[in-house]
Amino acid sequence: MTMKILEPVKFRNLELRNRLVWLPAVTCLADEIGFVTDPLIERHVARAKGGFGLIDVEACGVLDRKSPHLLRICDDKFIPGLKEMTDAVHAEGCKMTVQLIHYVKQSVRTGWKQAIEDLTYEEIDECKQQFIDSTVRARKAGFDGVELHVAHGYTLSSFISLLNKRTDKYGRNTEGRCRIVTEIMEGIRKEVGNDYCVGCRISGEEFVIGGNTLKQTTEIAKIFARDGMDFISVSAGGKTEDGAWYTGYSGSRCMATANLPYGCHVYLSAGIKDALREVGSDIPVIVSGKIKDLKHGEEVFEAGKADLIGVCRPALADPDWIKKQVEGREKEIIKCIYCNGCLERDQRHEPVNCVIAEKVAQRKPA
Protein backbone atom coordinates (compact mmCIF):
# COMPACT_ATOMS: atom_id res chain seq x y z
CA MET A 1 0.00 0.00 0.00
CA THR A 2 1.54 3.32 -1.14
CA MET A 3 0.31 6.34 0.79
CA LYS A 4 1.99 9.57 1.80
CA ILE A 5 0.66 9.26 5.35
CA LEU A 6 2.67 6.05 5.64
CA GLU A 7 5.92 7.84 4.81
CA PRO A 8 8.33 9.22 7.46
CA VAL A 9 8.01 12.79 8.72
CA LYS A 10 10.23 14.97 10.89
CA PHE A 11 9.60 18.08 13.01
CA ARG A 12 11.58 19.52 15.93
CA ASN A 13 13.32 16.48 17.49
CA LEU A 14 10.67 13.99 16.35
CA GLU A 15 11.37 11.59 13.50
CA LEU A 16 8.25 9.51 12.90
CA ARG A 17 8.02 6.45 10.67
CA ASN A 18 4.61 7.66 9.45
CA ARG A 19 1.99 10.35 10.00
CA LEU A 20 -0.37 8.23 12.11
CA VAL A 21 -0.93 9.17 15.75
CA TRP A 22 -2.68 7.19 18.46
CA LEU A 23 -4.46 9.93 20.33
CA PRO A 24 -4.54 10.19 24.13
CA ALA A 25 -7.44 8.52 25.92
CA VAL A 26 -7.75 7.76 29.61
CA THR A 27 -7.23 4.03 30.25
CA CYS A 28 -7.71 3.81 34.04
CA LEU A 29 -4.86 1.29 33.87
CA ALA A 30 -2.51 3.23 36.13
CA ASP A 31 -2.62 2.07 39.72
CA GLU A 32 -4.55 3.94 42.43
CA ILE A 33 -1.62 6.30 43.08
CA GLY A 34 -0.81 6.90 39.41
CA PHE A 35 2.13 4.60 38.75
CA VAL A 36 2.59 2.80 35.43
CA THR A 37 1.42 -0.83 35.41
CA ASP A 38 2.22 -3.79 33.16
CA PRO A 39 -1.25 -3.67 31.49
CA LEU A 40 -0.66 -0.01 30.62
CA ILE A 41 2.70 -0.79 29.03
CA GLU A 42 1.16 -3.72 27.14
CA ARG A 43 -1.59 -1.46 25.79
CA HIS A 44 0.83 0.97 24.22
CA VAL A 45 3.28 -1.67 23.00
CA ALA A 46 0.41 -3.37 21.14
CA ARG A 47 -0.38 -0.13 19.25
CA ALA A 48 3.32 0.42 18.55
CA LYS A 49 3.48 -3.06 17.05
CA GLY A 50 0.28 -2.25 15.16
CA GLY A 51 2.07 0.42 13.16
CA PHE A 52 1.56 3.87 14.69
CA GLY A 53 4.32 6.41 14.15
CA LEU A 54 3.52 8.31 17.33
CA ILE A 55 1.69 7.39 20.52
CA ASP A 56 0.48 10.30 22.62
CA VAL A 57 -0.01 8.91 26.13
CA GLU A 58 -3.20 9.68 27.98
CA ALA A 59 -3.62 12.69 30.28
CA CYS A 60 -0.89 12.55 32.90
CA GLY A 61 -1.38 14.60 36.06
CA VAL A 62 1.09 17.39 36.76
CA LEU A 63 -0.41 17.91 40.23
CA ASP A 64 -1.08 15.62 43.16
CA ARG A 65 -4.86 15.96 43.39
CA LYS A 66 -7.21 13.03 43.84
CA SER A 67 -8.40 11.31 40.68
CA PRO A 68 -8.63 7.50 40.67
CA HIS A 69 -6.18 5.64 38.41
CA LEU A 70 -4.96 8.80 36.71
CA LEU A 71 -1.43 8.45 35.39
CA ARG A 72 0.94 10.83 37.18
CA ILE A 73 4.12 12.77 36.47
CA CYS A 74 3.95 15.18 39.43
CA ASP A 75 6.92 13.68 41.28
CA ASP A 76 10.28 12.13 40.38
CA LYS A 77 9.11 8.83 41.86
CA PHE A 78 6.97 8.25 38.75
CA ILE A 79 9.90 8.55 36.33
CA PRO A 80 11.17 4.91 36.48
CA GLY A 81 7.80 3.40 35.54
CA LEU A 82 7.29 5.93 32.75
CA LYS A 83 10.81 5.19 31.49
CA GLU A 84 10.02 1.48 31.37
CA MET A 85 7.00 2.29 29.19
CA THR A 86 8.84 4.58 26.77
CA ASP A 87 11.68 2.07 26.42
CA ALA A 88 9.19 -0.68 25.53
CA VAL A 89 7.47 1.47 22.90
CA HIS A 90 10.73 2.73 21.42
CA ALA A 91 11.86 -0.87 21.01
CA GLU A 92 8.99 -1.28 18.52
CA GLY A 93 10.12 1.68 16.40
CA CYS A 94 7.44 4.07 17.64
CA LYS A 95 7.87 7.52 19.20
CA MET A 96 6.02 8.60 22.33
CA THR A 97 4.79 11.90 23.73
CA VAL A 98 2.79 12.44 26.91
CA GLN A 99 -0.21 14.69 27.46
CA LEU A 100 0.20 16.87 30.55
CA ILE A 101 -2.97 17.78 32.41
CA HIS A 102 -3.90 20.17 35.21
CA TYR A 103 -7.44 20.32 36.58
CA VAL A 104 -9.13 22.59 39.07
CA LYS A 105 -11.03 21.30 42.08
CA GLN A 106 -14.30 19.72 41.03
CA SER A 107 -16.97 17.27 42.15
CA VAL A 108 -18.27 14.58 39.81
CA ARG A 109 -21.13 13.90 42.24
CA THR A 110 -22.52 17.45 42.49
CA GLY A 111 -21.14 19.00 39.30
CA TRP A 112 -19.43 21.83 41.24
CA LYS A 113 -16.27 23.11 39.63
CA GLN A 114 -13.80 25.69 40.86
CA ALA A 115 -13.85 28.79 38.65
CA ILE A 116 -10.59 29.88 37.07
CA GLU A 117 -11.68 33.45 37.83
CA ASP A 118 -11.10 32.61 41.49
CA LEU A 119 -7.50 31.45 41.06
CA THR A 120 -4.93 33.75 42.62
CA TYR A 121 -1.65 34.75 40.95
CA GLU A 122 0.12 32.45 43.41
CA GLU A 123 -2.07 29.52 42.32
CA ILE A 124 -1.51 30.37 38.64
CA ASP A 125 2.26 30.51 39.18
CA GLU A 126 2.11 27.11 40.92
CA CYS A 127 0.17 25.66 37.97
CA LYS A 128 2.73 27.00 35.49
CA GLN A 129 5.62 25.57 37.48
CA GLN A 130 3.91 22.17 37.65
CA PHE A 131 3.78 22.01 33.84
CA ILE A 132 7.41 23.10 33.57
CA ASP A 133 8.66 20.60 36.15
CA SER A 134 6.61 17.80 34.59
CA THR A 135 8.12 18.50 31.17
CA VAL A 136 11.59 18.10 32.65
CA ARG A 137 10.48 14.77 34.15
CA ALA A 138 8.98 13.70 30.83
CA ARG A 139 12.30 14.16 29.08
CA LYS A 140 14.09 12.21 31.82
CA ALA A 141 11.50 9.45 31.42
CA GLY A 142 12.34 9.10 27.74
CA PHE A 143 9.32 10.78 26.18
CA ASP A 144 10.10 12.35 22.81
CA GLY A 145 7.97 15.36 23.62
CA VAL A 146 5.00 16.63 25.61
CA GLU A 147 1.52 17.79 24.75
CA LEU A 148 -0.09 20.47 26.91
CA HIS A 149 -3.76 19.62 27.51
CA VAL A 150 -5.49 22.84 26.50
CA ALA A 151 -8.73 21.15 25.45
CA HIS A 152 -12.05 20.06 26.93
CA GLY A 153 -12.99 21.06 30.47
CA TYR A 154 -9.60 21.40 32.13
CA THR A 155 -7.65 24.32 33.57
CA LEU A 156 -5.72 25.60 30.55
CA SER A 157 -8.75 25.14 28.31
CA SER A 158 -10.84 27.23 30.69
CA PHE A 159 -8.28 30.04 30.51
CA ILE A 160 -8.23 30.27 26.70
CA SER A 161 -12.02 30.08 26.41
CA LEU A 162 -14.30 33.04 25.76
CA LEU A 163 -16.07 31.82 28.89
CA ASN A 164 -13.04 33.10 30.86
CA LYS A 165 -14.34 36.32 32.45
CA ARG A 166 -11.15 37.35 34.25
CA THR A 167 -10.51 41.10 33.99
CA ASP A 168 -6.77 40.98 34.75
CA LYS A 169 -3.80 40.06 32.55
CA TYR A 170 -5.07 36.46 32.29
CA GLY A 171 -8.30 37.56 30.66
CA ARG A 172 -9.86 40.50 28.81
CA ASN A 173 -8.77 39.53 25.28
CA THR A 174 -7.30 36.64 23.28
CA GLU A 175 -3.70 37.46 24.22
CA GLY A 176 -4.65 37.64 27.89
CA ARG A 177 -6.61 34.42 27.85
CA CYS A 178 -3.64 32.67 26.19
CA ARG A 179 -1.11 34.17 28.59
CA ILE A 180 -0.90 31.24 31.02
CA VAL A 181 -0.07 28.87 28.15
CA THR A 182 2.49 31.17 26.54
CA GLU A 183 4.15 31.72 29.92
CA ILE A 184 4.28 27.95 30.45
CA MET A 185 5.91 27.65 27.03
CA GLU A 186 8.46 30.31 27.94
CA GLY A 187 9.30 28.52 31.19
CA ILE A 188 9.60 25.15 29.47
CA ARG A 189 11.98 26.48 26.83
CA LYS A 190 14.22 27.92 29.56
CA GLU A 191 14.46 24.45 31.09
CA VAL A 192 14.66 22.12 28.07
CA GLY A 193 15.80 24.41 25.27
CA ASN A 194 14.57 24.47 21.68
CA ASP A 195 15.46 20.88 20.77
CA TYR A 196 12.54 19.22 22.60
CA CYS A 197 9.07 18.89 21.11
CA VAL A 198 6.29 20.75 22.93
CA GLY A 199 2.80 20.78 21.44
CA CYS A 200 -0.75 21.18 22.64
CA ARG A 201 -4.26 19.89 22.18
CA ILE A 202 -7.09 22.37 21.84
CA SER A 203 -10.82 22.18 21.22
CA GLY A 204 -11.28 23.60 17.71
CA GLU A 205 -14.81 24.47 18.77
CA GLU A 206 -16.16 24.14 22.29
CA PHE A 207 -19.82 23.59 21.33
CA VAL A 208 -21.13 25.53 24.31
CA ILE A 209 -23.08 28.78 24.21
CA GLY A 210 -20.64 31.67 24.46
CA GLY A 211 -17.60 29.44 24.03
CA ASN A 212 -14.81 29.31 21.45
CA THR A 213 -15.51 28.65 17.80
CA LEU A 214 -13.04 28.63 14.92
CA LYS A 215 -13.19 32.44 15.01
CA GLN A 216 -11.32 32.33 18.32
CA THR A 217 -9.27 29.14 17.97
CA THR A 218 -7.64 30.20 14.70
CA GLU A 219 -6.30 33.29 16.47
CA ILE A 220 -5.24 31.19 19.47
CA ALA A 221 -3.37 28.83 17.15
CA LYS A 222 -1.48 31.77 15.62
CA ILE A 223 -0.43 32.97 19.08
CA PHE A 224 0.73 29.51 20.12
CA ALA A 225 2.71 29.04 16.89
CA ARG A 226 4.29 32.47 17.31
CA ASP A 227 5.41 31.58 20.82
CA GLY A 228 7.08 28.29 19.94
CA MET A 229 4.47 25.54 19.94
CA ASP A 230 5.67 22.60 17.84
CA PHE A 231 2.32 21.05 16.91
CA ILE A 232 -1.39 21.57 17.50
CA SER A 233 -3.71 18.60 17.95
CA VAL A 234 -7.31 19.55 17.25
CA SER A 235 -10.12 18.05 19.30
CA ALA A 236 -13.61 19.42 19.93
CA GLY A 237 -16.10 19.99 22.70
CA GLY A 238 -15.73 18.24 26.02
CA LYS A 239 -16.73 21.29 28.06
CA THR A 240 -18.37 20.45 31.39
CA GLU A 241 -20.24 23.79 31.26
CA ASP A 242 -22.64 21.96 28.92
CA GLY A 243 -23.25 19.06 31.30
CA ALA A 244 -21.17 17.21 33.79
CA TRP A 245 -18.81 14.60 32.34
CA TYR A 246 -19.87 14.32 28.70
CA THR A 247 -23.61 14.36 29.35
CA GLY A 248 -24.26 17.32 27.05
CA TYR A 249 -23.86 18.10 23.38
CA SER A 250 -20.32 19.38 23.92
CA GLY A 251 -19.40 15.99 25.35
CA SER A 252 -20.90 14.05 22.45
CA ARG A 253 -18.88 16.16 20.03
CA CYS A 254 -15.68 15.36 21.93
CA MET A 255 -16.40 11.63 21.77
CA ALA A 256 -18.21 11.72 18.42
CA THR A 257 -21.14 9.33 18.44
CA ALA A 258 -22.44 6.97 15.76
CA ASN A 259 -24.98 9.48 14.43
CA LEU A 260 -22.26 11.94 13.43
CA PRO A 261 -20.60 11.55 10.01
CA TYR A 262 -17.06 10.33 9.44
CA GLY A 263 -14.60 13.19 9.47
CA CYS A 264 -16.99 15.36 11.46
CA HIS A 265 -14.16 17.51 12.83
CA VAL A 266 -11.93 17.74 9.77
CA TYR A 267 -13.18 21.27 9.11
CA LEU A 268 -11.64 22.31 12.44
CA SER A 269 -8.12 21.12 11.65
CA ALA A 270 -8.52 22.55 8.13
CA GLY A 271 -9.52 25.95 9.51
CA ILE A 272 -6.58 26.03 11.90
CA LYS A 273 -4.19 24.82 9.20
CA ASP A 274 -5.35 27.65 6.90
CA ALA A 275 -4.90 30.21 9.68
CA LEU A 276 -1.35 29.04 10.35
CA ARG A 277 -0.54 29.30 6.64
CA GLU A 278 -1.65 32.93 6.76
CA VAL A 279 1.15 33.72 9.20
CA GLY A 280 3.72 31.52 7.48
CA SER A 281 3.73 28.77 10.10
CA ASP A 282 4.23 25.19 9.00
CA ILE A 283 3.93 23.49 12.41
CA PRO A 284 2.01 20.21 12.10
CA VAL A 285 -1.71 20.06 12.79
CA ILE A 286 -3.23 16.77 13.98
CA VAL A 287 -6.77 15.94 12.91
CA SER A 288 -9.21 13.86 14.95
CA GLY A 289 -12.88 12.92 14.80
CA LYS A 290 -13.93 9.64 13.20
CA ILE A 291 -11.28 9.14 10.53
CA LYS A 292 -12.80 6.13 8.78
CA ASP A 293 -9.70 4.38 7.45
CA LEU A 294 -6.26 5.01 5.96
CA LYS A 295 -7.76 6.03 2.63
CA HIS A 296 -9.83 8.67 4.38
CA GLY A 297 -6.75 9.88 6.27
CA GLU A 298 -4.80 10.12 3.02
CA GLU A 299 -7.57 12.24 1.48
CA VAL A 300 -7.49 14.62 4.44
CA PHE A 301 -3.70 14.94 4.20
CA GLU A 302 -3.62 15.35 0.43
CA ALA A 303 -6.23 18.10 0.69
CA GLY A 304 -3.94 20.01 3.07
CA LYS A 305 -6.45 19.84 5.92
CA ALA A 306 -4.02 18.24 8.40
CA ASP A 307 -0.43 17.03 8.62
CA LEU A 308 -0.85 14.11 10.99
CA ILE A 309 -3.79 11.73 11.20
CA GLY A 310 -5.10 11.09 14.70
CA VAL A 311 -7.01 7.94 15.59
CA CYS A 312 -8.22 6.78 18.98
CA ARG A 313 -11.22 4.47 19.42
CA PRO A 314 -10.72 2.43 16.22
CA ALA A 315 -7.30 1.34 17.54
CA LEU A 316 -8.76 0.73 20.99
CA ALA A 317 -11.07 -1.76 19.28
CA ASP A 318 -8.23 -3.25 17.21
CA PRO A 319 -4.57 -2.46 17.93
CA ASP A 320 -3.73 -3.77 14.44
CA TRP A 321 -6.07 -1.27 12.74
CA ILE A 322 -3.19 0.09 10.64
CA LYS A 323 -1.35 -3.18 10.07
CA LYS A 324 -4.41 -5.03 8.81
CA GLN A 325 -5.19 -2.30 6.26
CA VAL A 326 -1.61 -2.16 5.02
CA GLU A 327 -1.62 -5.96 4.61
CA GLY A 328 -5.00 -6.00 2.84
CA ARG A 329 -6.77 -7.70 5.74
CA GLU A 330 -9.52 -5.12 6.19
CA LYS A 331 -12.17 -7.81 6.68
CA GLU A 332 -10.35 -8.97 9.81
CA ILE A 333 -10.53 -5.57 11.51
CA ILE A 334 -12.59 -5.37 14.70
CA LYS A 335 -14.46 -2.17 13.94
CA CYS A 336 -15.38 0.57 16.37
CA ILE A 337 -19.10 1.36 16.14
CA TYR A 338 -18.78 4.54 18.23
CA CYS A 339 -21.07 3.20 20.93
CA ASN A 340 -18.95 4.91 23.61
CA GLY A 341 -19.03 1.92 25.89
CA CYS A 342 -15.38 2.82 26.51
CA LEU A 343 -16.41 6.28 27.71
CA GLU A 344 -18.93 4.79 30.14
CA ARG A 345 -16.14 2.69 31.65
CA ASP A 346 -13.95 5.76 31.94
CA GLN A 347 -16.74 7.54 33.82
CA ARG A 348 -16.95 4.63 36.25
CA HIS A 349 -13.14 4.64 36.66
CA GLU A 350 -12.96 1.10 35.30
CA PRO A 351 -10.25 -0.22 32.93
CA VAL A 352 -11.15 1.28 29.56
CA ASN A 353 -11.48 -1.54 27.05
CA CYS A 354 -13.58 -1.92 23.90
CA VAL A 355 -16.92 -3.65 24.40
CA ILE A 356 -16.98 -4.89 20.80
CA ALA A 357 -13.45 -6.35 21.00
CA GLU A 358 -14.40 -8.21 24.17
CA LYS A 359 -17.46 -9.72 22.48
CA VAL A 360 -15.34 -10.86 19.52
CA ALA A 361 -12.82 -12.43 21.90
CA GLN A 362 -15.61 -14.29 23.72
CA ARG A 363 -16.82 -15.82 20.45
CA LYS A 364 -13.40 -17.19 19.53
CA PRO A 365 -12.85 -20.86 20.34
CA ALA A 366 -10.58 -21.55 23.29
Side-chain angles (χ1 to χ4, degrees), residues 54-354:
L54 175 65
I55 289 175
D56 193 11
V57 176
E58 66 190 89
C60 195
V62 303
L63 73 170
D64 188 13
R65 181 172 289 155
K66 186 177 180 182
S67 185
H69 301 287
L70 178 74
L71 194 62
R72 305 279 179 174
I73 197 168
C74 55
D75 190 279
D76 286 355
K77 66 185 180 183
F78 296 105
I79 293 175
L82 293 167
K83 183 67 164 60
E84 184 180 354
M85 180 168 63
T86 58
D87 285 347
V89 167
H90 287 154
E92 300 299 335
C94 182
K95 302 297 185 180
M96 200 173 214
T97 51
V98 60
Q99 186 184 68
L100 304 181
I101 188 172
H102 184 284
Y103 46 96
V104 293
K105 298 173 184 176
Q106 51 197 310
S107 171
V108 177
R109 183 174 59 84
T110 66
W112 174 83
K113 181 180 177 183
Q114 183 182 24
I116 57 133
E117 287 81 1
D118 295 335
L119 295 179
T120 65
Y121 282 178
E122 183 180 5
E123 289 171 318
I124 290 172
D125 286 343
E126 182 182 25
C127 171
K128 291 188 294 184
Q129 194 61 48
Q130 287 166 334
F131 275 102
I132 295 165
D133 292 344
S134 294
T135 300
V136 172
R137 292 189 192 102
R139 188 168 67 168
K140 289 179 179 177
F143 286 105
D144 302 290
V146 298
E147 177 182 274
L148 308 180
H149 200 335
V150 198
H152 312 149
Y154 303 103
T155 306
L156 299 186
S157 174
S158 295
F159 269 96
I160 71 167
S161 175
L162 270 179
L163 298 172
N164 171 4
K165 302 305 180 185
R166 293 185 72 109
T167 57
D168 60 5
K169 65 180 182 179
Y170 291 104
R172 292 199 298 261
N173 54 36
T174 307
E175 286 278 357
R177 290 189 290 270
C178 288
R179 187 179 304 278
I180 187 171
V181 178
T182 56
E183 288 180 348
I184 288 169
M185 285 293 300
E186 182 181 4
I188 287 174
R189 290 301 179 203
K190 286 179 180 178
E191 290 293 330
V192 302
N194 291 320
D195 61 347
Y196 192 66
C197 189
V198 182
C200 68
R201 193 163 210 217
I202 65 173
S203 295
E205 292 205 12
E206 294 185 320
F207 295 109
V208 289
I209 295 172
N212 287 347
T213 68
L214 265 175
K215 181 179 179 180
Q216 289 74 43
T217 56
T218 49
E219 295 306 309
I220 290 167
K222 291 176 186 177
I223 291 171
F224 287 172
R226 179 199 70 194
D227 286 9
M229 203 71 77
D230 289 318
F231 68 85
I232 296 177
S233 180
V234 184
S235 184
K239 299 297 287 184
T240 51
E241 287 86 348
D242 184 51
W245 304 106
Y246 300 92
T247 58
Y249 181 64
S250 184
S252 70
R253 290 307 300 255
C254 177
M255 298 282 283
T257 41
N259 61 306
L260 291 168
Y262 285 109
C264 56
H265 296 149
V266 170
Y267 77 99
L268 297 175
S269 65
I272 288 172
K273 187 66 187 168
D274 286 344
L276 292 173
R277 287 193 188 98
E278 291 174 8
V279 293
S281 174
D282 61 355
I283 65 169
V285 172
I286 305 175
V287 68
S288 67
K290 296 184 70 172
I291 300 301
K292 185 176 182 180
D293 49 29
L294 294 183
K295 181 182 177 183
H296 184 196
E298 182 79 354
E299 290 169 353
V300 171
F301 173 71
E302 287 279 28
K305 297 178 179 179
D307 303 284
L308 302 171
I309 308 303
V311 177
C312 186
R313 286 170 291 174
L316 178 63
D318 194 330
D320 292 325
W321 185 80
I322 298 170
K323 187 177 181 181
K324 288 178 180 177
Q325 291 180 75
V326 170
E327 295 176 354
R329 297 189 289 133
E330 287 89 350
K331 291 182 179 180
E332 297 177 24
I333 294 174
I334 301 170
K335 292 187 177 180
C336 171
I337 61 171
Y338 301 96
C339 65
N340 279 348
C342 50
L343 173 60
E344 292 173 11
R345 291 179 175 188
D346 175 11
Q347 292 170 327
R348 296 193 297 265
H349 301 291
E350 298 173 1
V352 179
N353 294 303
C354 176

